[in-house]
Amino acid sequence: MVNYPPTDEAVKQEVKFYLQEHQNMKSLLHFYEKLYAHQRGFTNSLTTYSPPQTANREVMQGKPLLAELALPIPVQPTLELAQTILLDACSELLVKNEQQLNVMCNLMQSTFTADNIKEFYSRPSNLSLAKVQKFLFTKHDTAELAEQQLAVTAQVIRSALQMYFVYFAQQMQAAIDASNWNEGVCPVCGEKPMLAMLRAEDGSRVLECGLCHTQWEVSRIRCMSCGNTDHSKLSFFYLPDQVHRRVYVCSQCHNYLKTVVLKELARDIIPDLENLMTHFLDVLAADEGYGESGDKTTFN
């Protein structure tokens, strides 16, 4: 199931809700309002993608559909979308500076026209924020950009590219059966989940992919990073005033997964925004020694 990008009405309701307690996040939330609008318009311009004949068989064999398949991603429309998003990102998230904006635009242009860029960015394994940032840092002269500007540029590039993966996942929904997929990576693109939700109706655990936004159901008694099912090594914590937000941790691999208990809420959530607005839980988990030290980014 893929419900992305969220509708304009849903976004406005969630932004209004979060601003009640997080006025300091106003600029970031307004940027995401604009981002979703651009992504919705872009999705409407894409043409139908025909599912591979082996789609369901690949999932049944325990392999994400895009594990060995590179999506065809056209450079020019993706660059145009990224440039549009970048202008909003600079307006909402950064101090106005024409010179630095030009540097970021040039970095974007040179990135999308670099040799073998299609091969690199057409594979989901290369699109974590950490890897995009590393690519920018190692392939281009970024000395004129501060860390935050480089991080914003990476987020914009990922936000533009991800729409092809979202669209692919939407086209594949009717073609695959992921009911037996109990893995800690997305059955479509292989990305790690950004968030877990305990379903209100029955308490089942549903994961949401951070790239193509596919949702899939998994066992509750299992670490999604290492597969550990030993009860004594699995636990969770939460803040006393936010019992609906939990952080599930594994003492075997020291990874964690943020989880929302939907039964405790009186509203639907947009997982993407909930993940952003619970960054403080990532900080708490890191302070307790959980998380992958090699996969950190400065912008989420």
PDB file of all heavy atoms in Angstrom, residues 195-209:
ATOM      1  N   LEU A 195       9.789   4.253   9.752  1.00  0.00           N
ATOM      2  CA  LEU A 195       8.866   4.305  10.885  1.00  0.00           C
ATOM      3  C   LEU A 195       8.036   3.027  10.915  1.00  0.00           C
ATOM      4  O   LEU A 195       7.804   2.408   9.876  1.00  0.00           O
ATOM      5  CB  LEU A 195       7.930   5.514  10.712  1.00  0.00           C
ATOM      6  CG  LEU A 195       7.150   6.012  11.930  1.00  0.00           C
ATOM      7  CD1 LEU A 195       8.096   6.701  12.912  1.00  0.00           C
ATOM      8  CD2 LEU A 195       6.084   7.012  11.486  1.00  0.00           C
ATOM      9  N   ALA A 196       7.600   2.640  12.100  1.00  0.00           N
ATOM     10  CA  ALA A 196       6.652   1.534  12.246  1.00  0.00           C
ATOM     11  C   ALA A 196       5.374   2.068  12.882  1.00  0.00           C
ATOM     12  O   ALA A 196       5.402   3.055  13.617  1.00  0.00           O
ATOM     13  CB  ALA A 196       7.241   0.427  13.116  1.00  0.00           C
ATOM     14  N   MET A 197       4.270   1.434  12.568  1.00  0.00           N
ATOM     15  CA  MET A 197       2.987   1.802  13.152  1.00  0.00           C
ATOM     16  C   MET A 197       2.307   0.543  13.668  1.00  0.00           C
ATOM     17  O   MET A 197       2.328  -0.492  12.993  1.00  0.00           O
ATOM     18  CB  MET A 197       2.103   2.483  12.097  1.00  0.00           C
ATOM     19  CG  MET A 197       2.631   3.837  11.631  1.00  0.00           C
ATOM     20  SD  MET A 197       1.874   4.407  10.077  1.00  0.00           S
ATOM     21  CE  MET A 197       2.772   3.374   8.887  1.00  0.00           C
ATOM     22  N   LEU A 198       1.717   0.633  14.860  1.00  0.00           N
ATOM     23  CA  LEU A 198       0.900  -0.465  15.372  1.00  0.00           C
ATOM     24  C   LEU A 198      -0.532  -0.138  15.002  1.00  0.00           C
ATOM     25  O   LEU A 198      -1.115   0.842  15.475  1.00  0.00           O
ATOM     26  CB  LEU A 198       1.067  -0.603  16.887  1.00  0.00           C
ATOM     27  CG  LEU A 198       2.488  -0.895  17.379  1.00  0.00           C
ATOM     28  CD1 LEU A 198       2.486  -1.167  18.879  1.00  0.00           C
ATOM     29  CD2 LEU A 198       3.112  -2.066  16.614  1.00  0.00           C
ATOM     30  N   ARG A 199      -1.093  -0.942  14.138  1.00  0.00           N
ATOM     31  CA  ARG A 199      -2.406  -0.668  13.556  1.00  0.00           C
ATOM     32  C   ARG A 199      -3.493  -0.603  14.618  1.00  0.00           C
ATOM     33  O   ARG A 199      -3.522  -1.415  15.549  1.00  0.00           O
ATOM     34  CB  ARG A 199      -2.728  -1.748  12.519  1.00  0.00           C
ATOM     35  CG  ARG A 199      -3.764  -1.364  11.502  1.00  0.00           C
ATOM     36  CD  ARG A 199      -3.634  -2.238  10.263  1.00  0.00           C
ATOM     37  NE  ARG A 199      -3.598  -3.662  10.568  1.00  0.00           N
ATOM     38  CZ  ARG A 199      -3.101  -4.573   9.739  1.00  0.00           C
ATOM     39  NH1 ARG A 199      -2.579  -4.210   8.579  1.00  0.00           N
ATOM     40  NH2 ARG A 199      -3.113  -5.850  10.067  1.00  0.00           N
ATOM     41  N   ALA A 200      -4.377   0.369  14.500  1.00  0.00           N
ATOM     42  CA  ALA A 200      -5.413   0.595  15.507  1.00  0.00           C
ATOM     43  C   ALA A 200      -6.370  -0.588  15.617  1.00  0.00           C
ATOM     44  O   ALA A 200      -6.811  -0.944  16.715  1.00  0.00           O
ATOM     45  CB  ALA A 200      -6.188   1.873  15.179  1.00  0.00           C
ATOM     46  N   GLU A 201      -6.705  -1.216  14.498  1.00  0.00           N
ATOM     47  CA  GLU A 201      -7.710  -2.278  14.492  1.00  0.00           C
ATOM     48  C   GLU A 201      -7.278  -3.532  15.237  1.00  0.00           C
ATOM     49  O   GLU A 201      -8.070  -4.136  15.978  1.00  0.00           O
ATOM     50  CB  GLU A 201      -8.069  -2.661  13.039  1.00  0.00           C
ATOM     51  CG  GLU A 201      -8.666  -1.550  12.221  1.00  0.00           C
ATOM     52  CD  GLU A 201      -7.618  -0.662  11.567  1.00  0.00           C
ATOM     53  OE1 GLU A 201      -6.433  -0.766  11.942  1.00  0.00           O
ATOM     54  OE2 GLU A 201      -7.978   0.124  10.685  1.00  0.00           O
ATOM     55  N   ASP A 202      -6.030  -3.941  15.044  1.00  0.00           N
ATOM     56  CA  ASP A 202      -5.604  -5.227  15.607  1.00  0.00           C
ATOM     57  C   ASP A 202      -4.215  -5.204  16.242  1.00  0.00           C
ATOM     58  O   ASP A 202      -3.730  -6.236  16.710  1.00  0.00           O
ATOM     59  CB  ASP A 202      -5.644  -6.311  14.521  1.00  0.00           C
ATOM     60  CG  ASP A 202      -4.803  -5.956  13.302  1.00  0.00           C
ATOM     61  OD1 ASP A 202      -4.048  -4.956  13.367  1.00  0.00           O
ATOM     62  OD2 ASP A 202      -4.900  -6.671  12.279  1.00  0.00           O
ATOM     63  N   GLY A 203      -3.557  -4.060  16.255  1.00  0.00           N
ATOM     64  CA  GLY A 203      -2.232  -3.959  16.864  1.00  0.00           C
ATOM     65  C   GLY A 203      -1.100  -4.503  16.028  1.00  0.00           C
ATOM     66  O   GLY A 203       0.047  -4.560  16.483  1.00  0.00           O
ATOM     67  N   SER A 204      -1.390  -4.924  14.792  1.00  0.00           N
ATOM     68  CA  SER A 204      -0.340  -5.459  13.923  1.00  0.00           C
ATOM     69  C   SER A 204       0.687  -4.372  13.607  1.00  0.00           C
ATOM     70  O   SER A 204       0.366  -3.194  13.529  1.00  0.00           O
ATOM     71  CB  SER A 204      -0.941  -5.985  12.615  1.00  0.00           C
ATOM     72  OG  SER A 204      -1.795  -7.075  12.862  1.00  0.00           O
ATOM     73  N   ARG A 205       1.937  -4.805  13.432  1.00  0.00           N
ATOM     74  CA  ARG A 205       3.006  -3.841  13.143  1.00  0.00           C
ATOM     75  C   ARG A 205       3.168  -3.676  11.632  1.00  0.00           C
ATOM     76  O   ARG A 205       3.397  -4.632  10.898  1.00  0.00           O
ATOM     77  CB  ARG A 205       4.323  -4.293  13.766  1.00  0.00           C
ATOM     78  CG  ARG A 205       5.461  -3.314  13.491  1.00  0.00           C
ATOM     79  CD  ARG A 205       6.637  -3.459  14.439  1.00  0.00           C
ATOM     80  NE  ARG A 205       7.359  -4.705  14.298  1.00  0.00           N
ATOM     81  CZ  ARG A 205       8.633  -4.880  14.693  1.00  0.00           C
ATOM     82  NH1 ARG A 205       9.303  -3.877  15.247  1.00  0.00           N
ATOM     83  NH2 ARG A 205       9.207  -6.048  14.560  1.00  0.00           N
ATOM     84  N   VAL A 206       3.059  -2.437  11.191  1.00  0.00           N
ATOM     85  CA  VAL A 206       3.199  -2.088   9.771  1.00  0.00           C
ATOM     86  C   VAL A 206       4.379  -1.145   9.624  1.00  0.00           C
ATOM     87  O   VAL A 206       4.491  -0.152  10.346  1.00  0.00           O
ATOM     88  CB  VAL A 206       1.915  -1.417   9.239  1.00  0.00           C
ATOM     89  CG1 VAL A 206       2.097  -0.995   7.785  1.00  0.00           C
ATOM     90  CG2 VAL A 206       0.719  -2.355   9.373  1.00  0.00           C
ATOM     91  N   LEU A 207       5.264  -1.454   8.693  1.00  0.00           N
ATOM     92  CA  LEU A 207       6.427  -0.616   8.430  1.00  0.00           C
ATOM     93  C   LEU A 207       6.172   0.258   7.205  1.00  0.00           C
ATOM     94  O   LEU A 207       5.447  -0.144   6.293  1.00  0.00           O
ATOM     95  CB  LEU A 207       7.668  -1.470   8.194  1.00  0.00           C
ATOM     96  CG  LEU A 207       8.015  -2.529   9.249  1.00  0.00           C
ATOM     97  CD1 LEU A 207       9.330  -3.207   8.885  1.00  0.00           C
ATOM     98  CD2 LEU A 207       8.086  -1.921  10.632  1.00  0.00           C
ATOM     99  N   GLU A 208       6.772   1.426   7.186  1.00  0.00           N
ATOM    100  CA  GLU A 208       6.675   2.290   6.005  1.00  0.00           C
ATOM    101  C   GLU A 208       8.067   2.606   5.492  1.00  0.00           C
ATOM    102  O   GLU A 208       8.938   3.067   6.234  1.00  0.00           O
ATOM    103  CB  GLU A 208       5.923   3.588   6.303  1.00  0.00           C
ATOM    104  CG  GLU A 208       5.986   4.574   5.150  1.00  0.00           C
ATOM    105  CD  GLU A 208       4.684   5.300   4.868  1.00  0.00           C
ATOM    106  OE1 GLU A 208       3.648   4.956   5.462  1.00  0.00           O
ATOM    107  OE2 GLU A 208       4.711   6.228   4.047  1.00  0.00           O
ATOM    108  N   CYS A 209       8.258   2.380   4.202  1.00  0.00           N
ATOM    109  CA  CYS A 209       9.529   2.655   3.547  1.00  0.00           C
ATOM    110  C   CYS A 209       9.747   4.162   3.444  1.00  0.00           C
ATOM    111  O   CYS A 209       8.820   4.920   3.148  1.00  0.00           O
ATOM    112  CB  CYS A 209       9.520   2.038   2.147  1.00  0.00           C
ATOM    113  SG  CYS A 209      10.962   2.458   1.141  1.00  0.00           S
TER     114      CYS A 209
END
